[in-house]
Amino acid sequence: MSCIDCLQLAVVLGFTVCVVFGAGGAEEFNITISPGEDLPNRTIYVIKHTNVLFSCSSTSRQNMSWIFIHPDSKREEFTKVEGNHTELTLFNMGYDNQGNYTCSGNKENTKEVLVYYPPKGPPRCHAESSDDNVLLFCSWTKGYPYPTFAWSSEKHKYGPNDTLHGLPGSNDTTVLLIKDSKIHDGHIFKCVGFHIAYELKMEQSCSLMLKSPLPESQPLITGYVGKNTTLTCHCKEGSPPPKLTWLRNNLTEIFSSSKYVISQEGVISNLTILKSSKEQDEGIYICKSENPLGIKEVEIWVSFNTKNISGLVGGVTVFFLLSAAAIFGVLLYKNWDKFITRKYFWHTGSTLFTLVDSEEEDDFTVESSARITSVVNHQTDQTMNGHASVEVASDDSQATSNDQLPNEERNVTDV
C-alpha cells in the first residue's frame, strides 16, 4: 500500500493518522554466491570442483529456504529455516549442479548459476589438403563454454574473417584456410586458445609447420616367381599428409585389382603384387607422394628369382649344426678319461708332491733316484678338521732307510 492510498483511506474513514505499512519498499532478499562471477546477462558462473557458498538474508523474519531447479528436473528443496538468514554450501561443484537457485520466503529471488570448466590439455593442430589449398585445424575440446582462438604466422595475424564456419564440431575447433599463393615450405603457423575458466595464466597454444613430402623406400626388392611380393613406401616428411600413389615404369598409375592390392595406413602405403611373374612384373615401380607444397617420387627396382633358395639355406644351416655337434662329441669322447681321472682325483682327496733337488735337476737319471724325496699324503683314519695328515721325510733319513732295504724293495715307491 502506498502513502497516497493510505491518505485516501483515512479521508474516507475519518481517521486523522496515516500508518504506512512497508513504506519505501517491500520485503527485500539479498543473495550472495561465493566464489562466483557475474556475467553481462546477470547470470553467475562458478568453476567446476570448487566449494560454493549460497547465502540469503531478508529484512523480515520468516520461513526461508533454498530451492534448486535443474533445467531437466523438478524443484528440489535444500534447506528450510525459521529466521531472516540462511546459508547453503555445495562441495565439489559439478556440472549437474548447474541451474536456477531460488531463495524463497514470503517472496522469491532466483539466480541462474552456470558451472564452467576448461578444456583438458593444450590445443591440437593439424593440417589437411583441399585441392591446391591448405586447411589448418586447431581443436581445444571437452571444455564449457566453448573456447576462442587466434591464428598467427611469422609475419601475419589472422582474424575471424579468415576462418571457416559452419563445420561439424566448429564450436571447439577453428579452421584457417591458406590459399595456394601464400603457401611455402617451412611456413610456421600458431594457434592460441582462450577460455574463461582456465585458471592458469600460461598460454595454451599449438604450432605446425608446412612441409613438402619426402618419400623413402628400399631401392631394390627381390621376389620369387609365383609368390606374392610386397613393396612399401613411407613418407618421412609432409604436412599436410601427402597422397601416395603407385606407378609403373611407363608412368601408368596402379590401382587395386586382381593383380595388385594397395593398402595405406597414415603415411605408409603398401603395394602387393599377386602371383608374381618375371616377364610381366619385373621392372621399375614408382612411389609418388603429393601435397600442396610439392611432389616427390622414389623409384624401386623389382626383380624375381625362378629358384627358391630358402630350402638350400635351411639345409646348409642344419649341416653346420650337425657338424658342430659331431666334432664336439669326438672331442668329448677322446678326452673322457681326463674328465673321469680328474673327477676321481678330487673325490679321493689324495695329493702327491714330488720334490726334486735343483742341483741334480739336469742329471735326472737312475743314479739320482736315491736323491728323490717323496712326500706322500696318506689316507689315514685320523683326520684333523676333515684334512688328511701329511708325513714328510728328510733326505738323509729317507736315503738311509732306502739304502738299508734289499735291492728288490729299493725301487718300490711308497705310494
Side-chain angles (χ1 to χ4, degrees):
M1 180 181 296
S2 66
C3 184
I4 296 177
D5 294 336
C6 180
L7 290 175
Q8 291 177 349
L9 180 61
V11 172
V12 173
L13 298 178
F15 292 139
T16 58
V17 178
C18 178
V19 180
V20 180
F21 297 96
E27 179 183 355
E28 295 182 358
F29 281 84
N30 184 19
I31 294 179
T32 303
I33 300 176
S34 177
E37 298 290 339
D38 292 326
L39 296 173
N41 60 356
R42 303 189 66 179
T43 301
I44 297 176
Y45 77 87
V46 298
I47 305 301
K48 189 178 181 180
H49 298 312
T50 57
N51 300 331
V52 181
L53 174 64
F54 295 81
S55 176
C56 179
S57 59
S58 173
T59 56
S60 64
R61 185 179 181 86
Q62 55 188 295
N63 291 327
M64 303 181 64
S65 61
W66 273 109
I67 299 174
F68 171 64
I69 305 175
H70 193 275
D72 299 329
S73 65
K74 60 182 181 180
R75 295 163 61 97
E76 179 181 358
E77 186 176 85
F78 284 155
T79 62
K80 186 174 184 180
V81 297
E82 175 69 26
N84 60 356
H85 180 77
T86 180
E87 288 185 353
L88 168 68
T89 301
L90 293 181
F91 296 92
N92 195 23
M93 196 78 168
Y95 183 75
D96 293 338
N97 301 125
Q98 181 172 269
N100 293 325
Y101 289 82
T102 300
C103 180
S104 177
N106 295 332
K107 294 186 177 181
E108 293 182 349
N109 194 348
T110 302
K111 289 288 186 180
E112 183 181 5
V113 178
L114 303 177
V115 180
Y116 286 179
Y117 49 92
K120 295 182 179 180
R124 293 176 295 175
C125 296
H126 74 278
E128 295 182 7
S129 300
S130 176
D131 297 329
D132 294 332
N133 302 323
V134 175
L135 296 178
L136 305 181
F137 292 80
C138 181
S139 301
W140 204 17
T141 60
K142 299 183 180 180
Y144 178 76
Y146 295 118
T148 57
F149 303 93
W151 279 103
S152 64
S153 62
E154 299 163 338
K155 298 181 180 180
H156 184 73
K157 290 186 178 181
Y158 301 91
N161 295 331
D162 299 312
T163 58
L164 302 179
H165 302 282
L167 297 177
S170 60
N171 291 326
D172 53 15
T173 301
T174 181
V175 183
L176 180 64
L177 173 63
I178 306 298
K179 296 184 178 180
D180 184 24
S181 59
K182 298 181 180 180
I183 297 174
H184 64 268
D185 195 7
H187 199 169
I188 299 176
F189 293 85
K190 181 179 181 180
C191 172
V192 180
F194 304 93
H195 195 275
I196 190 172
Y198 197 75
E199 298 178 353
L200 299 178
K201 303 304 179 182
M202 298 174 58
E203 181 181 88
Q204 293 297 300
S205 63
C206 60
S207 300
L208 56 83
M209 177 186 294
L210 300 183
K211 294 287 293 181
S212 60
L214 181 61
E216 60 180 9
S217 179
Q218 296 181 1
L220 177 63
I221 299 294
T222 301
Y224 300 101
V225 173
K227 303 293 184 179
N228 295 341
T229 304
T230 300
L231 286 65
T232 300
C233 182
H234 171 259
C235 201
K236 185 177 181 181
E237 294 180 357
S239 179
K243 177 184 178 182
L244 298 176
T245 55
W246 291 93
L247 309 174
R248 282 299 304 268
N249 47 9
N250 55 2
L251 301 182
T252 302
E253 185 173 352
I254 301 174
F255 299 95
S256 293
S257 62
S258 58
K259 182 62 178 177
Y260 303 103
V261 175
I262 298 177
S263 62
Q264 182 169 341
E265 183 176 354
V267 293
I268 301 177
S269 180
N270 296 315
L271 170 64
T272 301
I273 306 172
L274 303 177
K275 297 181 180 180
S276 305
S277 170
K278 186 176 181 66
E279 294 77 13
Q280 298 179 3
D281 301 322
E282 192 171 64
I284 295 177
Y285 290 76
I286 299 174
C287 174
K288 177 183 176 182
S289 59
E290 179 181 4
N291 70 2
L293 286 91
I295 300 175
K296 296 290 179 64
E297 298 177 347
V298 59
E299 293 185 352
I300 306 170
W301 172 260
V302 180
S303 61
F304 298 96
N305 289 332
T306 57
K307 296 182 179 180
N308 191 345
I309 63 172
S310 58
L312 178 61
V313 173
V316 172
T317 304
V318 172
F319 173 76
F320 277 109
L321 291 176
L322 293 176
S323 299
I327 294 174
F328 177 76
V330 172
L331 294 176
L332 182 62
Y333 176 78
K334 290 185 177 181
N335 296 276
W336 186 254
D337 54 342
K338 294 183 180 180
F339 290 104
I340 295 299
T341 304
R342 179 171 295 181
K343 181 177 179 182
Y344 177 78
F345 180 81
W346 286 107
H347 275 247
T348 57
S350 300
T351 306
L352 175 63
F353 301 93
T354 302
L355 305 180
V356 181
D357 192 346
S358 61
E359 295 178 358
E360 303 294 337
E361 184 174 344
D362 296 334
D363 301 326
F364 190 79
T365 59
V366 178
E367 296 178 359
S368 61
S369 61
R371 304 290 301 222
I372 297 176
T373 301
S374 297
V375 179
V376 182
N377 178 16
H378 296 280
Q379 295 279 135
T380 61
D381 295 336
Q382 297 180 356
T383 60
M384 299 179 64
N385 296 330
H387 300 283
S389 61
V390 178
E391 296 179 3
V392 180
S394 64
D395 293 343
D396 295 338
S397 60
Q398 180 68 21
T400 303
S401 59
N402 197 25
D403 292 340
Q404 294 176 359
L405 292 175
N407 292 333
E408 296 80 357
E409 300 180 359
R410 291 180 182 179
N411 294 328
V412 178
T413 305
D414 299 334
V415 179

